[in-house]
Amino acid sequence: MADPFFQPVSGFDLPRFAGIPTFMRLPLVEADHPRRKDVQIGLIGSPWDGGTTNRPGPRHGPRQLRDLSTMIRAQNGATGVRPFELANCADLGDVGPNPVDLQDSLKRMTAFFAGVKAEGIRPLTAGGDHLCTLPILRALAADAPLGLIHFDSHTDLYHSYFDGCLYTHGTPFRRAIEEGLLDPKRCVQIGIRGTAYDTEDREFAAHAGIRVIAIEEFFARGPEDVMAEAREIAGSAPTYVSYDIDFVDPAFAPGTGTPEVGGPTSFQALQVARLLAGVNIVAADLVEVSPPFDASGGTAWLGASILFEMLCAMVATPA
Ligand code: MN
Ligand code: MN
């Protein structure tokens, strides 16, 4: 029986342009809220882009994703899944970063997600740039490494930028592997494409045993076949899902800092998220939506829709 408190506000009751915009019109349940102990999946904003090496802006992502997510309705159009009836979902608010101190921001974010984990809440996070994923993994994988299904046009596996800077949005998964937060044999990266600095990231992946599925292979095999392999790589053990909006072709998602042409459509972007059903998803994120480059709001709308598909996959497979 669905808990009425955790149901989103319906557009039948209050028009979608009215009211305070929380993620998917869910209740806002911050740390001291009396219903906090009943939350099972928490939608969280991580408004920070201090790891961005080129065009900034994802710090503004959570606010725009909240706004556009008010267009999400309660039922999945393709599968009929009604996620808000299957798990108590709530907007837990934002992580508070320190925009002028990278290491302090990482510490604050790790502490926030360690608290969420201790409460038994599975986080579904809206970034923020892709370095936001590292502190989440530090909090969630402190005891045992996780598997990873990673959608992106970039591997984010480089060693360093700018003569020794180890922490950028191009390095989070390199650090996560080095820190033992991910099991490389249970990691798969999907959609990789575009020009590259060199082959250092791909060589690291090959050496570590990370499966990289480039866009040419993705299109040659199709989403169903690729995602069947991804589910097999992740297996039944706890797995993190990280979704960089630049996985999607910039024709559909121009509002991001590092777009790469020749990518999947918005249909395929939702399809791959839907095909996560069956994976033991402990947490997921959607990162790199950059409102300053998203004049129409269409990128944030796609991002909100991907978050909904990931949420449906999470409720299909309670951890
Ligand atoms: Mn990325
Ligand atoms: Mn990327």
Side-chain angles (χ1 to χ4, degrees):
M1 182 68 186
D3 186 329
F5 175 80
F6 290 104
Q7 299 314 299
V9 176
S10 170
F12 283 156
D13 300 326
L14 181 70
R16 297 181 175 281
F17 50 82
I20 305 298
T22 57
F23 282 121
M24 301 180 197
R25 309 187 97 193
L26 288 163
L28 177 64
V29 181
E30 290 183 297
D32 53 356
H33 194 284
R35 296 302 308 275
R36 178 82 171 199
K37 63 182 185 329
D38 301 316
V39 177
Q40 294 170 300
I41 297 177
L43 284 88
I44 295 164
S46 188
W48 185 72
D49 57 15
T52 300
T53 57
N54 186 9
R55 306 193 303 168
R59 68 178 61 183
H60 304 293
R63 186 162 289 172
Q64 195 172 8
L65 285 161
R66 276 194 179 88
D67 190 3
L68 275 295
S69 78
T70 60
M71 293 205 287
I72 296 286
R73 303 182 187 88
Q75 182 165 309
N76 187 307
T79 63
V81 169
R82 298 178 64 84
F84 310 114
E85 295 178 6
L86 299 174
N88 291 342
C89 304
D91 186 331
L92 303 192
D94 281 346
V95 187
N98 176 348
V100 296
D101 189 324
L102 186 150
Q103 291 299 340
D104 187 42
S105 291
L106 295 180
K107 268 186 217 149
R108 288 167 187 240
M109 292 189 273
T110 303
F112 182 99
F113 285 96
V116 168
K117 185 190 181 203
E119 291 174 291
I121 299 171
R122 285 195 286 164
L124 175 56
T125 306
D129 72 28
H130 223 152
L131 188 53
C132 290
T133 303
L134 180 63
I136 301 174
L137 292 172
R138 283 176 171 170
L140 301 185
D143 308 323
L146 299 170
L148 174 73
I149 299 177
H150 172 196
F151 303 101
D152 206 320
S153 58
H154 314 99
T155 64
D156 297 348
L157 282 174
Y158 278 100
H159 177 266
S160 59
Y161 282 57
F162 314 124
D163 198 21
C165 179
L166 297 175
Y167 299 97
T168 80
H169 67 163
T171 67
F173 298 103
R174 181 70 163 261
R175 296 290 90 74
I177 296 285
E178 289 170 354
E179 295 178 25
L181 307 174
L182 295 171
D183 175 356
K185 301 283 192 287
R186 294 182 51 237
C187 292
V188 55
Q189 303 185 308
I190 301 166
I192 310 305
R193 64 184 183 272
T195 55
Y197 293 106
D198 53 35
T199 56
E200 192 238 330
D201 60 329
R202 301 291 284 269
E203 284 161 16
F204 176 82
H207 185 257
I210 297 168
R211 174 78 166 106
V212 177
I213 299 177
I215 200 66
E216 291 77 12
E217 183 179 350
F218 178 85
F219 281 122
R221 292 172 57 192
E224 288 95 347
D225 193 38
V226 164
M227 289 308 297
E229 184 188 351
R231 292 193 301 271
E232 195 174 303
I233 290 168
S236 58
T239 297
Y240 191 85
V241 177
S242 194
Y243 202 128
D244 185 327
I245 195 72
D246 72 32
F247 168 76
V248 189
D249 191 277
F252 302 90
T256 193
T258 319
E260 304 292 352
V261 297
T265 65
S266 56
F267 179 84
Q268 291 164 327
L270 299 175
Q271 189 183 15
V272 293
R274 202 171 295 142
L275 288 165
L276 291 165
V279 176
N280 182 355
I281 303 171
V282 289
D285 65 42
L286 183 278
V287 297
E288 300 284 358
V289 171
S290 185
F293 296 100
D294 189 23
S296 71
T299 306
W301 171 227
L302 177 58
S305 302
I306 291 167
L307 282 166
F308 181 76
E309 287 292 350
M310 293 199 292
L311 178 65
C312 290
M314 288 173 80
V315 300
T317 56

